Amino acid sequence: MSAGIRILRLSPAGALAMASASALLITDAWFDVMTAPTTRDLVQALVMAGLVELPMAAVCIRAAWRIVGVFSQSRPYLQAAGFTVHHGRLVPPPDWQDRIAPCRDPQAPPGC
């Protein structure tokens, strides 16, 4: 459930969860097809792989790519605002609190 929330919030952890899920789905489809002992099991594995597992893996890959794209697009704006990355964490500029304080006022103009 927490992975779903991270994905909906476009969290970087959501991208990792989606990439991992896609790899597991592809591996499971391959494993099921390769280890099917009878023709009936092989047909069932191929149908499941083609209709369920591989399409879900494609959805997971697309979602992970979308999350990465959002962060790639936001990078120039964050850098222009003065944000930096130290030890894997996004660090706001020193005067960030002063810049957003007027916007916290209930009387602030829209789009502050």
Side-chain angles (χ1 to χ4, degrees):
M1 173 112 144
S2 66
I5 292 170
R6 287 181 178 154
I7 292 162
L8 290 174
R9 291 183 178 178
L10 299 177
S11 166
L16 182 61
M18 298 294 346
S20 299
S22 66
L24 290 172
L25 283 164
I26 293 168
T27 303
D28 183 54
W30 172 80
F31 189 77
D32 290 344
V33 169
M34 297 306 288
T35 60
T38 65
T39 304
R40 182 177 179 201
D41 291 336
L42 178 61
V43 170
Q44 182 180 3
L46 286 170
V47 168
M48 287 295 292
L51 296 178
V52 178
E53 293 170 333
L54 295 178
M56 282 302 298
V59 168
C60 290
I61 290 169
R62 172 72 173 109
W65 194 256
R66 180 174 174 248
I67 292 170
V68 170
V70 166
F71 285 101
S72 296
Q73 290 173 358
S74 66
R75 173 182 247 163
Y77 298 105
L78 291 170
Q79 287 175 339
F83 283 84
T84 57
V85 177
H86 293 287
H87 304 292
R89 299 246 181 214
L90 187 64
V91 179
D95 63 343
W96 186 250
Q97 292 297 325
D98 298 335
R99 283 195 248 169
I100 64 169
C103 295
R104 291 186 178 166
D105 182 15
Q107 306 291 328
C112 178

